[in-house]
Amino acid sequence: QERQIRFGFITGKTQHAKKELFVRQRIYYTGIVLFVIWALVFSFSSFRSSQHTHDSHIKESLRNYKSSAESSLILRYLLSLDDDPTFRIKDACAPILYSKISRFYYNLYTINIFRSLFFLGSNLIFPGLAEHLIVRNKLSDSLLQNYTSNKEIKQVLILGAGFDTKSIRYASLLQKHGVQVFEVDHPATQARKLQLLSSEPFLMSGQALTKFIKSDLSSPTDRSRLPSFLHEQGYNESLPTIVFCEGLFMYFHPQVVKALFSVLDKLLQKSGGLVYFDTFSERFLNRAEEKSVAWRVAVNHYFSGEPLQFGVDPERLHKFVGKFGFCVRKVFSSDEVERLFLKRKGSLFGRYPSYTKLSLVERPKLGSACSDVGDHKLI
């Protein structure tokens, strides 16, 4: 009887283990299938969108076109459709722009199941990507609104602007306070954006205060000429400026990032200014933390043609930017941004990835020290 009980117990345990293994395998293979579907859909979407132009000059420029700006636009469009206000991005321009890129996928993603499939596939590669984009956009919007309303800035400079829509969404606020916007981006990406804007008069009219500067920031020649490009379009070094570098630095070699900070130092030292940017942590890029995620993200970006190259840990940021006359105003922690942007009625909606960092640094006027402000002025 004892043997039977033991045998029955062991058999039951073995059956339970087999069942658990079977469930895990099903989840694993389902995840692989969803990832393949997502990769095919996303790749075909990008391919189709790149073909939707008949302008020979634009076609020529699109040969060097990078898809990361379009990827960000797709995510902003999807997040603008979300029913949950915590998850939703307030960007009414993203759906309009994306509808010009691909009407088929624009309609497809209005169906909940296809949006869910997209995010499931995306989350397999980059857990927390949606949360990072939500926080990055909401924080940059808050900074723009607060510093503009408080009359602390008179110019906005957006490096690697991509399909950014701040100048359209906040056109009335910027116009009210006389704030000029300058968008700098690669000629191919900017040509793509202007092509889409020109097909929608409403969006183009919202860009009345925006000056577009074509510049390949990875090119030493273009970087050295950036100040003169800006001056030709009316940039005034005597006016306080905030610079947005969202989804930019991580794609550049560290030497290029240093060169860009050197250029920003020259542009901001006369009047003082702020620079808002996001990066990965250096430990993450070196696969020293979140190894499996780090490998998936690195491989995905490598095959997309835009490998990740730059990262800086928060404890090293002071030293890095200090070489160029900047000081750190704020490095937003994961817990802080979750509390500010990802909570609804006291419950946490999503986890912000700890290996992505959002930072705000300041370049004080020559002869001045960094100002000390509380969090209430930043957000």
Side-chain angles (χ1 to χ4, degrees), residues 155-198:
Q155 291 179 145
V156 175
L157 174 59
I158 307 176
L159 297 183
F163 294 98
D164 190 282
T165 59
K166 290 184 187 66
S167 59
I168 303 174
R169 291 182 288 118
Y170 296 105
S172 58
L173 177 66
L174 296 169
Q175 190 169 11
K176 177 183 177 182
H177 294 281
V179 176
Q180 181 73 59
V181 180
F182 300 88
E183 289 194 8
V184 179
D185 211 344
H186 190 282
T189 307
Q190 197 166 94
R192 181 66 164 150
K193 180 177 182 177
L194 292 174
Q195 177 207 11
L196 298 176
L197 290 175
S198 63

Side-chain angles (χ1 to χ4, degrees), residues 224-233:
S224 64
R225 297 178 61 190
L226 181 58
S228 62
F229 290 157
L230 288 166
H231 293 149
E232 289 172 4
Q233 295 295 327

Side-chain angles (χ1 to χ4, degrees), residues 107-257:
N107 292 324
L108 183 70
Y109 290 140
T110 59
I111 304 171
N112 287 334
I113 188 172
F114 289 106
R115 287 207 305 278
S116 299
L117 283 172
F118 183 95
F119 282 118
L120 280 171
S122 175
N123 206 48
L124 284 172
I125 298 177
F126 191 162
L129 174 60
E131 286 80 3
H132 173 68
L133 197 69
I134 290 167
V135 171
R136 190 179 79 184
N137 277 264
K138 289 187 175 182
L139 183 53
S140 64
D141 285 357
S142 296
L143 292 171
L144 179 64
Q145 291 178 78
N146 289 346
Y147 281 109
T148 302
S149 300
N150 294 336
K151 300 181 180 179
E152 296 183 54
I153 60 166
K154 285 297 179 183
Q155 291 179 145
V156 175
L157 174 59
I158 307 176
L159 297 183
F163 294 98
D164 190 282
T165 59
K166 290 184 187 66
S167 59
I168 303 174
R169 291 182 288 118
Y170 296 105
S172 58
L173 177 66
L174 296 169
Q175 190 169 11
K176 177 183 177 182
H177 294 281
V179 176
Q180 181 73 59
V181 180
F182 300 88
E183 289 194 8
V184 179
D185 211 344
H186 190 282
T189 307
Q190 197 166 94
R192 181 66 164 150
K193 180 177 182 177
L194 292 174
Q195 177 207 11
L196 298 176
L197 290 175
S198 63
S199 64
E200 186 58 59
F202 164 73
L203 295 180
M204 203 63 189
S205 63
Q207 297 274 18
L209 290 175
T210 305
K211 302 293 184 181
F212 296 97
I213 297 93
K214 297 178 181 179
S215 178
D216 181 0
L217 297 175
S218 63
S219 163
T221 303
D222 278 15
R223 279 198 308 273
S224 64
R225 297 178 61 190
L226 181 58
S228 62
F229 290 157
L230 288 166
H231 293 149
E232 289 172 4
Q233 295 295 327
Y235 182 87
N236 189 343
E237 292 184 6
S238 300
L239 297 178
T241 305
I242 185 168
V243 184
F244 292 100
C245 307
E246 300 173 66
L248 178 68
F249 288 155
M250 65 272 291
Y251 297 112
F252 289 149
H253 189 276
Q255 294 302 321
V256 176
V257 178

Side-chain angles (χ1 to χ4, degrees), residues 287 294-304:
R287 293 18 149 211
W295 275 107
R296 293 200 301 271
V297 171
V299 170
N300 177 65
H301 280 82
Y302 176 80
F303 282 105
S304 70

Side-chain angles (χ1 to χ4, degrees), residues 27-80:
I27 294 173
Y28 176 74
Y29 290 122
T30 301
I32 292 177
V33 171
L34 289 176
F35 167 70
V36 171
I37 293 173
W38 174 83
L40 290 173
V41 169
F42 186 73
S43 300
F44 185 61
S45 175
S46 300
F47 173 77
R48 282 281 301 275
S49 65
S50 66
Q51 308 303 311
H52 288 178
T53 176
H54 302 289
D55 190 307
S56 59
H57 297 291
I58 293 176
K59 278 188 174 182
E60 181 66 26
S61 67
L62 287 178
R63 290 181 182 179
N64 297 317
Y65 176 69
K66 299 295 184 182
S67 62
S68 60
E70 206 163 282
S71 303
S72 177
L73 176 64
I74 294 172
L75 281 167
R76 294 208 318 271
Y77 162 59
L78 294 175
L79 292 168
S80 71

